[in-house]
Amino acid sequence: KSFLNHTAYLSCCFPNSQKTDIKDLRVFWQKGTEVVHEVYYGQEKHDNLSPKYRNRTKMDMDKWTLQLLNAGIVDEGLYKCIIQHRHKGSPKVIHTSECLLHIIANYSQPEIAQLHTGELKPHEHLNLSCSSSGGYPEPKEITWLISHENTTDRLTRHMDVSQDAVTKLYNVTSKLDIPVPMNILTNISCLLHLGEQLGSLVSVPLGI
């Protein structure tokens, strides 16, 4: 995983147990049919690189790791590392590995807005929206938390999702319509679930 516009580190997972000299090896990084990086018997070679990777890659030969600078959402995907050894004149493949790159962009803290004006009256409805923007990948869901005294109700409502055509970042909104709480302090928060490994973001509570 790598944050948007940061450097992504892709490992070749090559132990080099034979301590082979880099001058006897050719190292290729590929994504699909595109050549991402090439080290030709100790020298970085740029002739065959796909234009979108030029001046964006560096190879750390001690750790056998490729650095992909300014990683974008279009860079997501499967990368393949292929290492060939100079063997009696013709190169022989001695190692291949794959690395899957996921890009992460931080969502803004969810914000609750009231969709009505004026004073709240008994038996009316409370109309709220919860929004968060500028994140990636697409989140799982938005949960509303309604707390009063010692109980908390969890409500899941439909989440509207839009994706920016240029940046590919997501904006999300969920709406809540409930009766106005009566004679009791109620705190309402919304929770944006980003997925198992990314956790959740919570709004500042709204007190009614």
Side-chain angles (χ1 to χ4, degrees):
K1 288 187 172 68
S2 174
F3 280 103
L4 181 67
N5 300 329
H6 285 58
T7 299
Y9 296 88
L10 306 173
S11 176
C12 219
C13 305
F14 180 54
N16 196 17
S17 48
Q18 306 293 318
K19 300 284 183 280
T20 309
D21 191 324
I22 187 67
K23 292 188 175 64
D24 291 322
L25 298 175
R26 293 171 72 184
V27 183
F28 297 93
W29 277 94
Q30 282 181 294
K31 184 185 180 205
T33 57
E34 297 175 311
V35 179
V36 177
H37 196 84
E38 182 179 358
V39 181
Y40 186 84
Y41 301 127
Q43 297 294 315
E44 308 225 33
K45 195 175 175 187
H46 304 285
D47 310 357
N48 302 321
L49 299 193
S50 168
K52 66 172 148 188
Y53 294 109
R54 284 216 175 109
N55 304 318
R56 288 185 60 215
T57 55
K58 285 195 291 196
M59 185 85 185
D60 181 338
M61 301 310 293
D62 295 326
K63 296 178 180 167
W64 300 95
T65 299
L66 182 73
Q67 298 177 28
L68 177 60
L69 310 179
N70 198 27
I73 290 167
V74 292
D75 295 318
E76 278 199 319
L78 191 65
Y79 290 78
K80 196 167 188 178
C81 172
I82 303 159
I83 299 177
Q84 297 176 333
H85 183 245
R86 204 195 304 243
H87 183 72
K88 296 177 183 172
S90 63
K92 175 187 172 192
V93 174
I94 59 168
H95 177 82
T96 61
S97 64
E98 291 181 335
C99 199
L100 191 58
L101 176 63
H102 293 286
I103 299 297
I104 301 164
N106 284 329
Y107 280 85
S108 63
Q109 183 181 17
E111 276 188 36
I112 295 179
Q114 298 195 42
L115 302 177
H116 48 75
T117 55
E119 197 177 333
L120 291 172
K121 296 189 176 68
H123 313 300
E124 288 189 346
H125 272 241
L126 187 61
N127 293 313
L128 304 176
S129 74
C130 172
S131 303
S132 176
S133 61
Y136 192 90
E138 186 176 344
K140 302 298 178 205
E141 65 179 13
I142 290 176
T143 303
W144 290 87
L145 306 176
I146 302 168
S147 305
H148 35 76
E149 291 184 334
N150 298 325
T151 61
T152 299
D153 296 325
R154 302 173 74 94
L155 303 176
T156 303
R157 294 290 183 264
H158 174 73
M159 181 174 69
D160 287 313
V161 179
S162 62
Q163 187 177 26
D164 188 285
V166 178
T167 66
K168 305 298 181 198
L169 299 177
Y170 288 101
N171 300 324
V172 293
T173 302
S174 175
K175 290 179 179 167
L176 180 70
D177 180 358
I178 58 169
V180 172
M182 298 296 296
N183 305 328
I184 191 167
L185 176 62
T186 300
N187 279 318
I188 301 175
S189 309
C190 65
L191 197 62
L192 177 66
H193 300 274
L194 301 174
E196 284 175 23
Q197 295 171 319
L198 298 175
S200 302
L201 291 173
V202 66
S203 69
V204 174
L206 174 70
I208 302 292

